[in-house]
mmCIF file of all heavy atoms in Angstrom:
data_model
loop_
_atom_site.group_PDB
_atom_site.id
_atom_site.type_symbol
_atom_site.label_atom_id
_atom_site.label_comp_id
_atom_site.label_asym_id
_atom_site.label_seq_id
_atom_site.Cartn_x
_atom_site.Cartn_y
_atom_site.Cartn_z
ATOM 1 N N ARG W 24 -55.548 -49.417 8.378
ATOM 2 C CA ARG W 24 -56.631 -48.975 9.251
ATOM 3 C C ARG W 24 -57.957 -48.723 8.500
ATOM 4 O O ARG W 24 -59.039 -48.861 9.070
ATOM 5 C CB ARG W 24 -56.144 -47.687 9.947
ATOM 6 C CG ARG W 24 -57.183 -46.918 10.680
ATOM 7 C CD ARG W 24 -57.322 -47.333 12.092
ATOM 8 N NE ARG W 24 -58.644 -47.039 12.594
ATOM 9 C CZ ARG W 24 -58.948 -46.367 13.641
ATOM 10 N NH1 ARG W 24 -57.989 -45.929 14.493
ATOM 11 N NH2 ARG W 24 -60.251 -46.163 14.011
ATOM 12 N N VAL W 73 -49.795 -28.332 6.297
ATOM 13 C CA VAL W 73 -50.352 -27.364 7.246
ATOM 14 C C VAL W 73 -51.151 -26.295 6.503
ATOM 15 O O VAL W 73 -52.251 -25.853 6.928
ATOM 16 C CB VAL W 73 -49.236 -26.734 8.139
ATOM 17 C CG1 VAL W 73 -48.264 -25.832 7.367
ATOM 18 C CG2 VAL W 73 -49.837 -25.951 9.267
ATOM 19 N N TYR W 75 -53.785 -25.120 3.723
ATOM 20 C CA TYR W 75 -54.943 -25.840 3.217
ATOM 21 C C TYR W 75 -55.650 -24.973 2.153
ATOM 22 O O TYR W 75 -56.845 -25.086 1.953
ATOM 23 C CB TYR W 75 -55.894 -26.282 4.308
ATOM 24 C CG TYR W 75 -56.211 -25.191 5.344
ATOM 25 C CD1 TYR W 75 -57.344 -24.471 5.262
ATOM 26 C CD2 TYR W 75 -55.345 -24.971 6.443
ATOM 27 C CE1 TYR W 75 -57.654 -23.464 6.174
ATOM 28 C CE2 TYR W 75 -55.649 -24.036 7.331
ATOM 29 C CZ TYR W 75 -56.781 -23.274 7.245
ATOM 30 O OH TYR W 75 -57.026 -22.292 8.183
ATOM 31 N N ALA W 102 -38.690 -24.273 8.987
ATOM 32 C CA ALA W 102 -37.777 -23.170 9.438
ATOM 33 C C ALA W 102 -36.331 -23.473 9.115
ATOM 34 O O ALA W 102 -35.612 -22.592 8.645
ATOM 35 C CB ALA W 102 -37.949 -22.946 10.939
ATOM 36 N N LEU W 209 -49.730 -10.299 -2.021
ATOM 37 C CA LEU W 209 -49.399 -9.448 -0.873
ATOM 38 C C LEU W 209 -48.035 -8.825 -1.072
ATOM 39 O O LEU W 209 -47.761 -7.689 -0.738
ATOM 40 C CB LEU W 209 -49.377 -10.315 0.396
ATOM 41 C CG LEU W 209 -49.337 -9.650 1.747
ATOM 42 C CD1 LEU W 209 -50.565 -8.730 1.947
ATOM 43 C CD2 LEU W 209 -49.392 -10.710 2.891
ATOM 44 N N VAL W 210 -47.144 -9.559 -1.708
ATOM 45 C CA VAL W 210 -45.829 -9.034 -2.148
ATOM 46 C C VAL W 210 -45.963 -8.650 -3.623
ATOM 47 O O VAL W 210 -45.972 -9.496 -4.498
ATOM 48 C CB VAL W 210 -44.707 -10.085 -1.933
ATOM 49 C CG1 VAL W 210 -43.332 -9.494 -2.435
ATOM 50 C CG2 VAL W 210 -44.622 -10.461 -0.451
ATOM 51 N N ALA W 248 -32.132 -7.191 -4.862
ATOM 52 C CA ALA W 248 -30.820 -7.872 -5.222
ATOM 53 C C ALA W 248 -31.007 -9.288 -5.614
ATOM 54 O O ALA W 248 -30.407 -9.764 -6.587
ATOM 55 C CB ALA W 248 -29.881 -7.742 -4.019
ATOM 56 N N VAL W 271 -31.319 -15.608 -8.409
ATOM 57 C CA VAL W 271 -32.412 -16.229 -7.744
ATOM 58 C C VAL W 271 -32.079 -17.671 -7.513
ATOM 59 O O VAL W 271 -31.380 -18.333 -8.288
ATOM 60 C CB VAL W 271 -33.750 -16.101 -8.576
ATOM 61 C CG1 VAL W 271 -33.634 -16.711 -9.981
ATOM 62 C CG2 VAL W 271 -34.912 -16.714 -7.867
#
Side-chain angles (χ1 to χ4, degrees):
R24 167 88 207 234
V73 68
Y75 48 95
L209 193 58
V210 177
V271 58

